[in-house]
Amino acid sequence: MGLVLTGGVGYQHGTMPHDPHAQIDQNVLEMIERSPVGAVPHTPAYQDALGRLRAAHQVYVSADHKGGHVTVRSLANLPAFFAGNLEEVMAGRAEVSALEPDAEIFNRYVRSLPENVRGKAEEARGVVLARKAHHRKHGGVVVQEPVHTLFLVPGVGPNPGLPGNYLHGSIVETTAGDVTSWTLHLHDSLDGAAVCEVRTQGEAVEKLKEVVASAPFMLSELDVLDFRMV
């Protein structure tokens, strides 16, 4: 279930405040959820209600249907995807080489989608998985590549998310000399992105838990979790 992150996220768990627009706004939420394409009539009253709901971050532009929308409360029921053994690896109870591959995490995401959008999701596979590499050679010795692991959560950025209305992100370990740091990245389907730097792998895992617990969200709302837009 998504959390209310900022003042801009108005109505927790889909409830509406008592105001003159409450009834029509509630009707529009239900209309979007009943529509197979998230459509709303193009009349002034309905479009005004849609504008209020978008401003309150209660509906997002749909990634799956041009001109359609999706409600936050429907996205709150969707799963998040990340390595099933992430905590064991990050805690040192399993080798980094045993970390669930990004490709399998992406496979689980695709399998969760309606069949009619799986093909479009597969088109994004190359971009989402492009940076993964397990090992490198240094002085003729094979050494372990820094951690890079994929996660996907419901949400949007300045642009719609991936099919199913998902943002895709990664936890990345960076080593400079003897100093190791960790960065969480989140992206929409195009160039919208947010990042957060933390000091330790334990903090990286805890930050991911906060992100998952807070979904769905807009990338711009993640400033309360110390992310910045880039």
Side-chain angles (χ1 to χ4, degrees), residues 134-145:
H134 285 292
H135 295 88
R136 55 188 167 86
K137 284 191 175 181
H138 180 68
V141 178
V142 176
V143 296
Q144 187 169 275
E145 190 74 13

Side-chain angles (χ1 to χ4, degrees), residues 82-100 144 146-149 151 170-174 180-184 198-209:
F82 52 90
N85 60 346
L86 179 63
E87 287 197 66
E88 287 74 13
V89 170
M90 298 290 260
R93 296 191 295 270
E95 296 294 328
V96 173
S97 59
L99 193 65
E100 182 181 9
Q144 187 169 275
V147 172
H148 177 289
T149 186
F151 62 91
S170 57
I171 298 177
V172 181
E173 177 187 14
T174 303
T180 298
S181 59
W182 300 80
T183 306
L184 286 83
V198 295
R199 294 172 299 174
T200 69
Q201 58 189 19
E203 289 177 356
V205 172
E206 290 306 310
K207 186 64 66 175
L208 176 60
K209 289 180 179 178

Side-chain angles (χ1 to χ4, degrees), residues 25 60 63 109 128 131 142 146 163 183 197 199 212:
D25 290 0
Y60 301 148
Y109 150 69
V128 173
R131 297 181 61 188
V142 176
T183 306
E197 294 90 8
R199 294 172 299 174
V212 171

Side-chain angles (χ1 to χ4, degrees), residues 2-222:
L3 301 179
V4 174
L5 295 177
T6 70
V9 185
Y11 313 132
Q12 188 170 15
H13 309 322
T15 60
M16 308 296 290
H18 296 293
D19 66 41
H21 305 299
Q23 187 61 54
I24 189 170
D25 290 0
Q26 183 67 35
N27 289 344
V28 169
L29 282 174
E30 295 171 356
M31 188 178 298
I32 291 171
E33 291 173 347
R34 290 195 302 267
S35 169
V37 295
V40 174
H42 291 282
T43 62
Y46 283 111
Q47 291 301 308
D48 287 349
L50 183 60
R52 289 190 296 271
L53 292 168
R54 289 180 63 175
H57 298 180
Q58 287 302 290
V59 299
Y60 301 148
V61 173
S62 173
D64 301 328
H65 304 289
K66 186 175 181 179
H69 290 77
V70 61
T71 68
V72 166
R73 65 188 186 187
S74 65
L75 295 185
N77 296 319
L78 297 180
F81 299 93
F82 52 90
N85 60 346
L86 179 63
E87 287 197 66
E88 287 74 13
V89 170
M90 298 290 260
R93 296 191 295 270
E95 296 294 328
V96 173
S97 59
L99 193 65
E100 182 181 9
D102 284 359
E104 182 51 38
I105 299 168
F106 194 84
N107 289 344
R108 292 196 280 115
Y109 150 69
V110 172
R111 289 195 296 267
S112 77
L113 299 173
E115 290 189 9
N116 64 317
V117 299
R118 290 179 185 176
K120 187 177 179 182
E122 285 291 351
E123 293 175 5
R125 178 184 290 268
V127 173
V128 173
L129 303 184
R131 297 181 61 188
K132 183 67 176 181
H134 285 292
H135 295 88
R136 55 188 167 86
K137 284 191 175 181
H138 180 68
V141 178
V142 176
V143 296
Q144 187 169 275
E145 190 74 13
V147 172
H148 177 289
T149 186
L150 175 70
F151 62 91
L152 300 105
V153 293
V156 299
N159 312 290
L162 296 178
N165 301 286
Y166 274 84
L167 299 166
H168 65 98
S170 57
I171 298 177
V172 181
E173 177 187 14
T174 303
T175 302
D178 295 331
V179 179
T180 298
S181 59
W182 300 80
T183 306
L184 286 83
H185 301 254
L186 266 172
H187 304 267
D188 60 26
S189 60
L190 296 174
D191 56 0
V195 299
C196 176
E197 294 90 8
V198 295
R199 294 172 299 174
T200 69
Q201 58 189 19
E203 289 177 356
V205 172
E206 290 306 310
K207 186 64 66 175
L208 176 60
K209 289 180 179 178
E210 289 181 337
V211 168
V212 171
S214 300
F217 45 73
M218 298 185 71
L219 286 179
S220 58
E221 296 180 272
L222 286 181

